[in-house]
């Protein structure tokens, strides 16, 4: 059950990432600091589940196939922790605080990655779930609502590259 | 008021053997023999060399039948990539089998860098920078700290400067922990008052942040709270009378305990901003810590007031703690820290503020932008934006 949940959740995160990096200026700003082709991977130890994102034209591009080489690697030590993250019961920052993840790479890159993942989750999850994983709730503006609709319908449901 | 709650999960690791007390240095030859090491590379700096500490150590090594030591005493103020590479070559050329670092933060970081290079069989140190990128080492590393602040003798972190690119490379790995930390009163007794104050405030910051940041746990709390007690009880004595060996040893132990604590619970926004002040504005780390600590405590107060209140017991003692209403304890701790800062300024000239000629609006913005990308920010009890860091910094600058 955990495995199915994690793989589905990772696929949703991957599909949403491209759209979020197009429509959210803050995320686009974070990605502008990374070189073209910069690859970041979130994986679960010994499970094969992973979500790898590559920077292309200043946006996240979801790599559907497993990747060996990456610039930043975030490893969740077990499936239970990964499931908690997918269910928004644990943030990446909390997972780090509880030694549930291992980061391999530059810490500044890791900070940017954590912020972009948080932004992606803010578009994917309803407000009542977000309260568990963020101190500052996203502002409920018309622009944010429009972005959320685009990200869910174009990125996640249609799975279109933007 | 509810404060402490164990984390849902935590890890704690501290593999460093500690030798602490009178004549601790004299045990080094025996400890080296237990590591099957007999040909050390000694890394230090000119200050240590001139102070006579190096002579004491070499004499002890000689008496322990360790004669073939290679000495490098030109470590710069900021450990640099070039020096690390040069020393790795010296290590290999002389077939050294262990490293002894005698000095402060830069000497210790240089020694850690040399061990990383000789262990990982590469000349490209930069390729190993970051988190969890290095291999285990069989080269023993002994640390003899001559300041009481960095706690680097007990941490899994090293910072090396790439002077050509103007960058500071961060290395974090459990394989960076030294094998041995040797604390002997002879090592710190010559430290000048202002440096004693700065490094002492660094140790206090490590302890306070370790006790309040998100990765805290019951084991790190024990180390951090004891460190707070030892700094408050001994820093002023060591600044007023540098030859007070008891105070010196207590501070050395406080620094070590705080190092063990923060290596497991990590540090937060004070260090993020402090690292940025060092990298962008070249402010000495201890000075930055001293200035920023109370301001960040005010910023984090909403989340951490109860924990600050608990630390009042260790900072001020049982009588003050008991006489202070629960809700006022956190504020009182901040007051105690500010009072100590004020006394340190009077006694040794450690300024309570950052210099206004360096920290104009542009510099404040640059420092703030650097700070929010520092890894320590991830562990701060409350999130911070660039604007919030700028606001904190403005409160830290002399008007």
């Amino acid at each position: 059950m955990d495995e199915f949940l994690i793989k589905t959740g990772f696929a949703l995160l991957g599909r949403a990432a491209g759209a979020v990096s197009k429509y959210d200026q803050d995320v686009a700003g974070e990605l502008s600091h990374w070189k073209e082709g910069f690859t970041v991977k979130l994986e679960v130890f010994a499970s094969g589940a992973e979500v790898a994102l590559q920077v292309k034209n200043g946006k996240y591009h979801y790599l559907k196939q497993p990747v060996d080489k990456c610039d930043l690697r975030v490893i969740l030590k077990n499936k239970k922790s990964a499931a908690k993250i997918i269910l928004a019961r644990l943030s990446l920052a909390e997972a780090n605080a509880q030694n549930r993840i291992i980061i391999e790479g530059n810490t500044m890159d890791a900070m940017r990655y954590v912020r972009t993942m948080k932004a992606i989750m803010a578009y994917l999850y309803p407000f009542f779930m977000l309260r568990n994983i963020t101190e500052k709730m996203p502002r409920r503006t018309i622009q944010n609502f429009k972005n959320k609709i685009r990200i869910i319908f174009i990125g996640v449901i249609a799975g279109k590259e933007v | 008021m509810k404060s402490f709650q164990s984390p849902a999960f935590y890890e704690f690791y501290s593999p460093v053997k500690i030798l602490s007390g009178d004549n601790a240095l004299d045990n080094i030859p025996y400890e080296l023999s237990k590591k099957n090491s007999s040909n050390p590379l000694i890394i230090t700096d000119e200050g240590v060399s001139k102070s006579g500490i190096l002579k004491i150590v070499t004499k002890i090594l000689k008496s322990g039948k360790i004669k073939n030591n290679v000495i490098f005493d030109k470590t710069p103020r900021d450990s640099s990539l070039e020096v690390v590479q040069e020393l790795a070559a010296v290590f290999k050329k002389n077939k050294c089998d262990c490293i002894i670092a005698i000095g402060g933060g830069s000497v210790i970081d240089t020694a850690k860098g040399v061990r990383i290079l000789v262990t990982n069989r590469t000349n490209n140190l930069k390729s190993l920078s970051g988190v969890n990128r290095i291999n285990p080492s069989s080269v023993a590393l002994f640390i003899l700290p001559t300041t009481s602040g960095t706690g680097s003798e007990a941490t899994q972190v090293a910072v090396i400067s790439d002077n050509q690119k103007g960058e500071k490379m961060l290395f974090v790995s459990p394989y960076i922990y030294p094998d041995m930390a040797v604390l002997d009163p002879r090592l710190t007794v010559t430290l000048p008052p202002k440096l004693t104050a700065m490094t002492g405030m660094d140790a206090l910051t490590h302890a306070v942040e370790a006790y309040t940041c998100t990765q805290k746990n019951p084991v790190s709390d024990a180390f951090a709270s004891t460190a707070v007690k030892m700094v408050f009880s001994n820093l002023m004595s060591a600044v007023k009378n540098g030859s007070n060996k008891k105070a010196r040893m207590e501070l050395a132990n406080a620094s070590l305990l705080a190092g063990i604590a923060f290596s497991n619970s990590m540090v937060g926004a004070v260090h993020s901003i402090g690292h940025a002040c060092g990298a962008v504005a070249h402010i000495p780390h201890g000075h930055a810590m001293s200035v920023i600590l109370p301001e960040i405590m005010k910023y984090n107060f909403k989340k951490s007031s109860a924990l600050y209140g608990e630390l009042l017991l260790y900072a001020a003692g049982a009588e003050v703690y008991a006489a202070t209403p629960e809700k006022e304890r956190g504020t009182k701790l901040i007051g105690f820290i500010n009072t100590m800062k004020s006394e340190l300024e009077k006694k040794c000239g450690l300024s309570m503020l950052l210099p206004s000629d360096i920290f104009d609006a542009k510099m404040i913005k640059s420092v703030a932008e650097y700070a929010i990308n520092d890894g320590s920010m991830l562990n701060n009890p409350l999130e911070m934006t660039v604007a919030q860091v700028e606001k904190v910094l403005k409160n830290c600058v002399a008007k």
Side-chain angles (χ1 to χ4, degrees):
Chain A
M1 184 61 188
D2 279 347
E3 189 133 350
F4 173 75
L5 178 74
I6 294 161
K7 284 191 172 164
T8 309
F10 277 5
L12 291 176
L13 282 174
R15 287 164 80 117
V20 173
S21 58
K22 179 179 179 184
Y23 296 117
D24 187 296
Q25 293 308 306
D26 291 340
V27 173
E30 298 285 2
L31 299 193
S32 69
H33 293 274
W34 285 337
K35 65 181 191 292
E36 185 74 1
F38 187 94
T39 306
V40 52
K41 183 163 84 161
L42 174 66
E43 66 180 81
V44 184
F45 178 72
S47 80
E50 66 173 58
V51 53
L53 302 169
Q54 191 170 57
V55 176
K56 267 190 182 176
N57 299 320
K59 292 193 285 285
Y60 267 142
H61 168 70
Y62 174 36
L63 301 173
K64 289 164 189 154
Q65 300 302 317
V67 294
D68 287 334
K69 283 195 171 179
C70 56
D71 300 282
L72 177 71
R73 193 172 173 206
V74 180
I75 306 163
L76 286 147
K77 291 180 184 172
N78 60 60
K79 289 180 195 169
K80 290 283 176 207
S81 302
K84 278 188 172 184
I85 285 177
I86 295 301
L87 294 171
R89 286 167 56 199
L90 185 72
S91 68
L92 272 179
E94 279 175 305
N96 177 62
Q98 294 178 10
N99 302 101
R100 294 180 192 272
I101 59 174
I102 286 283
I103 295 167
E104 287 181 7
N106 184 301
T107 48
M108 283 201 169
D109 293 334
M111 292 298 290
R112 293 190 197 290
Y113 177 66
V114 168
R115 288 198 291 263
T116 61
M117 288 305 281
K118 204 162 132 185
I120 293 165
M121 287 176 143
Y123 285 108
L124 279 180
Y125 293 105
F127 268 63
F128 75 90
M129 287 176 85
L130 283 179
R131 287 186 206 287
N132 294 330
I133 57 168
T134 186
E135 283 169 20
K136 289 170 195 152
M137 299 298 284
R139 285 191 301 167
R140 297 187 197 210
T141 61
I142 292 171
Q143 187 57 46
N144 278 354
F145 182 72
K146 275 185 191 169
N147 285 348
K148 193 162 188 155
I149 296 294
R150 283 171 178 153
I151 287 156
I152 290 173
F153 283 95
I154 301 173
V156 179
I157 296 173
K160 278 190 182 170
E161 284 285 328
V162 287
Chain B
M1 198 186 289
K2 188 184 168 190
S3 58
F4 182 73
Q5 200 178 0
S6 281
F9 177 81
Y10 74 89
E11 293 178 3
F12 189 93
Y13 183 59
S14 184
V16 185
K17 181 168 178 178
I18 299 156
L19 312 181
S20 171
D22 286 338
N23 303 318
L25 292 171
D26 296 73
N27 280 14
I28 292 174
Y30 170 78
E31 296 295 344
L32 282 173
S33 76
K34 290 283 135 192
K35 295 279 175 192
N36 292 321
S37 302
S38 57
N39 190 15
L41 168 63
I42 298 177
I43 302 173
T44 186
D45 59 29
E46 281 180 334
V48 171
S49 187
K50 282 178 189 165
S51 70
I53 296 169
L54 180 63
K55 208 171 170 182
I56 295 170
V57 175
T58 50
K59 198 175 165 190
I60 288 167
L61 291 174
K62 209 171 172 183
S63 70
K65 310 263 185 274
I66 294 165
K67 290 169 188 166
N68 300 325
N69 47 64
V70 182
I71 297 168
F72 177 86
D73 65 357
K74 300 280 184 283
T75 307
R77 215 176 120 191
D78 278 328
S79 52
S80 79
L81 180 60
E82 294 77 18
V83 172
V84 169
Q85 282 168 333
E86 182 189 335
L87 283 173
V90 170
F91 183 96
K92 286 175 195 166
K93 189 183 163 196
N94 291 281
K95 297 194 170 89
C96 295
D97 54 13
C98 61
I99 300 168
I100 299 176
I102 316 168
S106 64
V107 168
I108 299 172
D109 282 351
T110 300
K112 287 175 172 178
V114 173
R115 184 165 74 156
I116 293 170
L117 262 192
V118 297
T119 301
N120 288 268
R121 292 177 184 173
T122 174
N123 288 323
N124 184 4
L125 189 64
K126 191 160 190 181
S127 67
L128 302 169
S129 77
V131 188
N132 292 310
R133 280 181 165 163
I134 66 171
N135 296 318
S137 178
S138 58
V139 176
L141 175 59
F142 283 41
I143 306 287
L144 284 53
T146 57
T147 63
S148 300
T150 68
S152 192
E153 64 274 16
T155 71
Q156 54 174 332
V157 180
V159 181
I160 314 281
S161 300
D162 181 347
N163 292 332
Q164 281 183 340
K165 292 191 176 169
E167 288 175 4
K168 289 206 171 196
M169 296 182 291
L170 178 72
F171 300 83
V172 184
S173 165
Y175 304 128
I176 289 177
Y177 277 111
D179 295 270
M180 202 80 57
V182 187
L183 312 181
D184 187 304
R186 288 171 284 181
L187 291 169
T188 52
V189 85
T190 55
L191 195 66
K194 194 173 175 182
L195 263 177
T196 304
M198 280 202 278
T199 51
M201 288 305 290
D202 189 18
L204 179 66
T205 308
H206 290 151
V208 172
E209 291 216 287
Y211 197 81
T212 51
C213 282
T214 58
Q215 212 160 319
K216 74 191 249 73
N217 62 65
V219 189
S220 65
D221 281 356
F223 286 88
S225 53
T226 307
V228 168
K229 186 177 175 179
M230 292 167 108
V231 172
F232 268 97
S233 307
N234 296 284
L235 183 55
M236 285 312 300
S237 309
V239 168
K240 283 177 191 166
N241 175 16
S243 57
N244 181 341
K245 287 187 178 179
K246 189 177 169 292
R248 290 289 192 190
M249 273 314 287
E250 292 289 298
L251 277 184
N253 276 286
S255 169
L256 174 94
L257 295 182
I260 293 171
F262 89 79
S263 201
N264 284 277
S265 62
M266 299 297 137
V267 282
V270 186
H271 273 79
S272 298
I273 302 171
H275 293 154
C277 286
V280 182
H282 306 291
I283 299 295
H285 183 69
H287 181 204
M289 295 296 97
S290 164
V291 174
I292 300 162
L293 175 64
E295 289 303 321
I296 287 294
M297 288 174 78
K298 287 179 202 163
Y299 176 83
N300 287 334
F301 201 79
K302 194 170 85 180
K303 187 86 177 270
S304 306
S305 60
L307 295 171
Y308 295 146
E310 287 176 3
L311 285 180
L312 182 67
L313 174 64
Y314 303 96
E319 282 187 28
V320 174
Y321 179 81
T324 310
E326 198 173 10
K327 284 186 178 170
E328 292 171 23
R329 286 173 185 158
T331 314
K332 197 150 198 167
L333 177 73
I334 298 174
F336 262 77
I337 293 173
N338 279 325
T339 304
M340 188 160 74
K341 275 175 61 179
S342 170
E343 284 178 34
L344 289 173
E345 187 174 42
K346 282 180 204 152
K347 286 285 165 203
C348 65
L350 177 61
S351 172
M352 289 179 73
L353 295 163
L354 296 170
S356 56
D357 55 332
I358 296 176
F359 281 84
D360 55 14
K362 197 178 162 194
M363 176 60 84
I364 286 176
K365 191 165 180 59
S366 302
V367 170
E369 283 170 352
Y370 191 103
I372 63 145
N373 285 317
D374 186 273
S376 303
M377 200 57 100
L378 196 59
N379 304 301
N380 196 57
L382 288 174
E383 291 173 10
M384 287 193 96
T385 60
V386 173
Q388 284 162 333
V389 175
E390 281 184 75
K391 200 174 166 191
V392 165
L393 276 169
K394 279 175 191 163
N395 292 336
C396 295
V397 177
K399 300 286 182 291

